[in-house]
């Protein structure tokens, strides 16, 4: 029997600003059977990213005005405009549409909502789980409170990243831990609790710039 379980993880990682996406493909190429078969897993709806008729209509409007690469940014900006960042308003089981109904959520919800829109447009898209250093000009050696974070990857000829929560491309402040179809594929910590009584979870993220 115990009253507390503490898990500590420490890593040294090297980050860099990602290369811009390669020459994008067309909507016709995205719709090819070979492409849809290859990326079926990240085009199929899930619990967190269900089908939405409303978002399909939004997607059709975006397609009319943009090529696939620009459509990714337009989709992320639409999600960014529809949700207000409010911690505690959704839970780990909330879908992107749950957050849309509330009009607020956290980074997980911004990512899921964007994924619903992208997959509805036929763009392969993945959920990225990781961490974010809050200060781009941090002093070397200073330890600061970091943030658990989530963003998306889209495939428009190659995989590239975008952050719907901050409506921005990612840079060396982002630390990618894993990619999957949605949050459930890349949870930071997973386990089963058995017993009586209530539980509380507390998470601390500390990041130190080394160079």
């Amino acid at each position: 029997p115990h009253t507390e379980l503490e898990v500590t993880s420490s890593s040294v990682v090297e980050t860099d600003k990602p290369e811009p996406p390669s020459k994008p493909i067309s909507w016709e190429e995205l719709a090819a059977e070979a492409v849809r078969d290859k990326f079926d897993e990240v085009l199929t709806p899930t619990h967190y990213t269900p089908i939405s008729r409303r978002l399909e209509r939004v997607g059709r409007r975006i397609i009319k005005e943009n090529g696939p690469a620009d459509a990714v940014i337009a989709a992320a900006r639409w999600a960014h405009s529809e949700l207000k960042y409010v911690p505690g308003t959704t839970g780990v089981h909330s879908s992107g549409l749950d957050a849309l109904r509330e009009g607020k959520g956290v980074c997980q919800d911004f990512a899921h909502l964007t994924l619903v829109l992208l997959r509805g447009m036929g763009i392969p898209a993945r959920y990225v789980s990781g961490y974010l250093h809050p200060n781009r000009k941090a002093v070397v050696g200073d330890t600061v409170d970091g943030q658990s974070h989530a963003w998306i990857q889209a495939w428009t000829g190659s995989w590239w990243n975008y952050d719907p929560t901050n409506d921005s491309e990612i840079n060396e402040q982002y630390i990618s831990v894993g990619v999957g179809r949605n949050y459930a594929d890349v949870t930071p910590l997973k386990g089963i609790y058995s017993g009586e009584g209530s539980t509380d979870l507390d998470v601390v993220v500390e990041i130190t710039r080394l160079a």
Side-chain angles (χ1 to χ4, degrees):
H2 59 276
T3 59
E4 182 177 298
L5 172 66
E6 181 176 309
V7 179
T8 302
S9 176
S10 179
S11 301
V12 175
V13 298
E14 184 176 341
T15 64
D16 196 2
K17 186 174 183 179
E19 293 292 327
S22 61
K23 184 179 179 181
I25 60 177
S26 65
W27 290 112
E28 290 74 19
E29 290 172 303
L30 269 180
E33 184 176 348
V35 172
R36 298 192 66 83
D37 180 65
K38 179 179 180 180
F39 296 109
D40 178 73
E41 188 175 47
V42 287
L43 284 168
T44 303
T46 70
H47 162 74
Y48 289 97
T49 58
I51 293 173
S52 167
R53 301 304 177 194
R54 176 189 172 188
L55 267 67
E56 286 180 351
R57 292 193 295 271
V58 174
R60 286 194 291 270
R61 293 200 301 268
I62 292 175
I63 289 173
K64 287 181 180 179
E65 301 172 357
N66 301 276
D70 290 335
V72 173
I73 297 175
R77 286 178 175 169
W78 183 87
H80 180 82
S81 70
E82 292 293 316
L83 298 181
K84 183 178 180 181
Y85 188 91
V86 182
T89 54
T90 55
V92 294
H93 300 295
S94 301
S95 72
L97 298 188
D98 292 333
L100 182 60
R101 282 190 288 269
E102 294 291 329
K104 49 192 174 183
V106 293
C107 56
Q108 170 185 315
D109 305 302
F110 283 79
H112 283 150
L113 185 58
T114 305
L115 292 178
V116 175
L117 191 48
L118 293 177
R119 292 171 182 172
M121 291 190 289
I123 298 176
R126 304 189 293 205
Y127 181 100
V128 187
S129 177
Y131 300 101
L132 175 62
H133 194 299
N135 183 5
R136 188 170 188 174
K137 297 181 179 180
V139 176
V140 173
D142 277 4
T143 299
V144 301
D145 291 334
Q147 303 168 9
S148 297
H149 200 47
W151 56 98
I152 63 100
Q153 283 184 351
W155 191 87
T156 56
S158 63
W159 287 107
W160 56 288
N161 299 267
Y162 201 83
D163 180 0
T165 307
N166 294 308
D167 186 18
S168 67
E169 298 179 0
I170 75 165
N171 56 28
E172 62 276 9
Q173 294 169 252
Y174 289 74
I175 303 166
S176 175
V177 175
V179 297
R181 296 165 301 169
N182 51 45
Y183 169 83
D185 284 351
V186 284
T187 52
L189 183 66
K190 182 184 292 185
I192 297 174
Y193 169 80
S194 177
E196 299 180 353
S198 60
T199 61
D200 292 307
L201 176 66
D202 185 40
V203 179
V204 176
V205 179
E206 294 181 334
I207 302 179
T208 306
R209 181 182 174 187
L210 299 179

